[in-house]
Amino acid sequence: MTPEELSALDDLAGEYVLGTLSWEQRQAVAARLPHEPVLAAKVAQWESRLQPLADTVAPLAPSAKLWQRVSQSISPARDSVWRRYWDDIRFWRLASGAVTCAALLLAVTLGVKVNTPTPSPRFVVVLASPLDKSPGWLVQVGADRKLRLIPLKPEPTQADKALQLWTKADGWTGPVSLGLLRAGEPVEVSIDNLPPLQPNQLFEITLEPPQGSPIGKPTGPILSIGRAVAT
């Protein structure tokens, strides 16, 4: 994915969270979120960035006059539409069929849930530069307990240095190394030896000596950092 494409996704995620998209555009973005982890992560980033601002605004109760105007504007249309459907036998036939289908679907769904173990949650992390906030890597963790790290842009390399991936959850005494990386190359890491991932778990990539950190914790500068978001 090019920097231009990532920038366009970031703009789209910001408009989605701010609510400036049209209804059709918003529905289209919502349909993409379960299948596009980068877009979902950017939406989560915008939500976490803007929520503190929303929390500073005191709620304002609408006046009684405003509620009266709203009620008057929708009541005639609502009553007219409801009366038309009430008197239409085809509506009741369709409603009866829909209820039957819903009951069957619920029975099948409950049966499947009873016999199917609950899947493990999936997480994504966008690792961004702490300097300019540009995304550099995408982390995906599936129910198979495999962590997949995908480069999003070219990463400058140094012959006498290595990239090392770390993670740390709340309550841990310190970060845990997930191994060395090659700049610009995807990698897959098993995390079976780690506790279950948590929302907001920290991930970072640091610049270390060629063999990795000699003391079991980061020693070099942080190149990319981000936190896990459940999908």
Side-chain angles (χ1 to χ4, degrees):
M1 186 174 291
T2 66
E4 292 77 13
E5 291 172 329
L6 287 170
S7 178
L9 276 184
D10 189 64
D11 292 343
L12 181 61
E15 292 183 87
Y16 176 80
V17 174
L18 287 170
T20 58
L21 297 176
S22 67
W23 174 252
E24 292 76 12
Q25 290 173 322
R26 184 171 182 82
Q27 291 297 98
V29 173
R32 292 170 58 183
L33 291 178
H35 313 291
E36 298 187 31
V38 177
L39 179 58
K42 286 188 172 295
V43 166
Q45 283 184 321
W46 272 101
E47 289 175 340
S48 63
R49 188 185 309 170
L50 296 177
Q51 187 59 46
L53 297 178
D55 292 339
T56 64
V57 179
L60 180 63
S63 66
K65 183 179 294 185
L66 176 59
W67 278 122
Q68 185 178 5
R69 288 176 55 193
V70 172
S71 178
Q72 289 174 349
S73 66
I74 66 175
S75 292
R78 179 187 60 195
D79 294 343
S80 174
V81 171
W82 175 244
R83 175 57 59 183
R84 187 167 67 250
Y85 283 120
W86 182 272
D87 295 335
D88 192 341
I89 187 62
R90 292 173 299 177
F91 167 75
W92 291 108
R93 288 174 178 169
L94 180 61
S96 176
V99 170
T100 302
C101 291
L104 290 173
L105 179 60
L106 179 61
V108 172
T109 302
L110 290 175
V112 170
K113 287 187 175 182
V114 167
N115 296 307
T116 304
T118 303
S120 301
R122 298 177 64 245
F123 294 87
V124 295
V125 190
V126 176
L127 299 180
S129 166
L131 300 178
D132 59 10
K133 308 302 181 185
S134 61
W137 300 79
L138 174 68
V139 178
Q140 295 176 303
V141 182
D144 57 358
R145 299 282 290 165
K146 297 288 186 182
L147 181 149
R148 297 168 181 86
L149 189 67
I150 304 167
L152 299 177
K153 66 176 183 181
E155 190 85 31
T157 59
Q158 299 183 29
D160 59 340
K161 296 291 183 179
L163 306 179
Q164 192 161 3
L165 177 64
W166 308 84
T167 186
K168 181 181 182 299
D170 293 340
W172 293 13
T173 57
V176 173
S177 173
L178 297 177
L180 301 180
L181 312 174
R182 292 182 179 272
E185 294 186 13
V187 66
E188 183 176 282
V189 179
S190 173
I191 55 173
D192 284 337
N193 294 328
L194 293 181
L197 259 66
Q198 306 173 18
N200 210 43
Q201 183 162 331
L202 180 70
F203 287 82
E204 65 182 25
I205 295 174
T206 60
L207 195 62
E208 303 291 346
Q211 304 304 320
S213 170
I215 60 174
K217 60 182 180 180
T219 62
I222 297 174
L223 302 181
S224 296
I225 190 168
R227 292 187 177 273
V229 177
T231 62

